[in-house]
Each structure stands twice: as C-alpha cells, then as structure tokens.
Amino acid sequence: MENVSNPIIIDQYYCDSKHPCDNQTSAVRVENISFIDIKGTSATEEAIKFACSDSSPCEGLYLKNIFLESCMGGNTSSYCWQAHGSTRGLVYPPTCLSRNHDFIRQKVWLDSNSAIDSI
C-alpha cells in the first residue's frame, strides 16, 4: 500500500451521509479477522483503526507482520475501542488490542486453511 487513508480499519460506527448519523447501539458481529503481511505508507496518522460496538465487540482480530509508516514522515498510530485479539511478529504501529485467548482459535483456523490451500 502506498499513501492510503486508513489502511487497516473496522468501523462499526461508520456513517456514509452528508448529515450526522445517530450513534448506533448495535452492530453486526465481527470476529476472526486476520491482517497478515501488510506493509506500506499511510496518508493518515491513524494507520490502524478498530472502532467496535459496545454491544457487539470485535473478537479474534489477528495482526501479523504489519508495517505502516507515515507517507509524510512522523509517526503513525492505532486506535481501538472494544477490539480484542492478538499479534505476532513485527506490528507497527503498535496495536492497542486487548489481549484474549482468540489467538489459539485463530491459529487453528489459519493452520487448517493452509492445509486446504496446499491440496
């Protein structure tokens, strides 16, 4: 990725309207999402954004080997709200994910898909 706004984003509060949207209190369940081997530059300071719902938090997010630096120099950052998961390898900017045990479930899912891909 080069010069991308919001390179990694999950936003359950997204509003595609010219007028302000009401804050939503419910959302679709988001779980077991992997971001692997992503590198490049971000046009926004916030390179990783996980804005998840209070009533339906994001679970099982997995980041591995992520490097997103600023295209304008300076630092990039992460934003997390109700986002749970794990990381492996180098992840920049450092994530703000709250840790949980979904890494084990995610690892099993990734390993089983790798086996399917090799068939």
Side-chain angles (χ1 to χ4, degrees):
M1 294 187 201
E2 288 187 35
N3 197 20
V4 176
S5 296
N6 305 306
I8 295 178
I9 184 169
I10 295 174
D11 188 351
Q12 290 183 300
Y13 298 96
Y14 178 76
C15 175
D16 187 20
S17 172
K18 293 181 181 181
H19 306 287
C21 296
D22 293 334
N23 192 7
Q24 301 299 314
T25 58
S26 63
V28 173
R29 186 176 181 102
V30 175
E31 62 181 8
N32 298 327
I33 306 293
S34 297
F35 299 91
I36 301 172
D37 297 331
I38 299 172
K39 63 181 177 177
T41 58
S42 177
T44 51
E45 181 183 336
E46 210 168 70
I48 299 173
K49 179 178 181 179
F50 298 126
C52 302
S53 165
D54 289 334
S55 62
S56 186
C58 299
E59 301 284 346
L61 301 177
Y62 178 69
L63 286 85
K64 179 180 176 185
N65 300 332
I66 308 294
F67 188 79
L68 296 166
E69 60 187 336
S70 173
C71 67
M72 297 176 273
N75 295 320
T76 53
S77 64
S78 298
Y79 171 84
C80 297
W81 181 261
Q82 295 295 341
H84 310 284
S86 58
T87 64
R88 189 166 189 178
L90 172 70
V91 176
Y92 181 81
T95 68
C96 44
L97 290 174
S98 27
R99 305 270 183 215
N100 61 18
H101 299 291
D102 286 335
F103 172 73
I104 295 168
R105 180 174 54 194
Q106 186 68 31
K107 175 116 174 78
V108 170
W109 184 83
L110 285 170
D111 289 346
S112 64
N113 275 349
S114 295
I116 291 170
D117 290 341
S118 64
I119 296 177

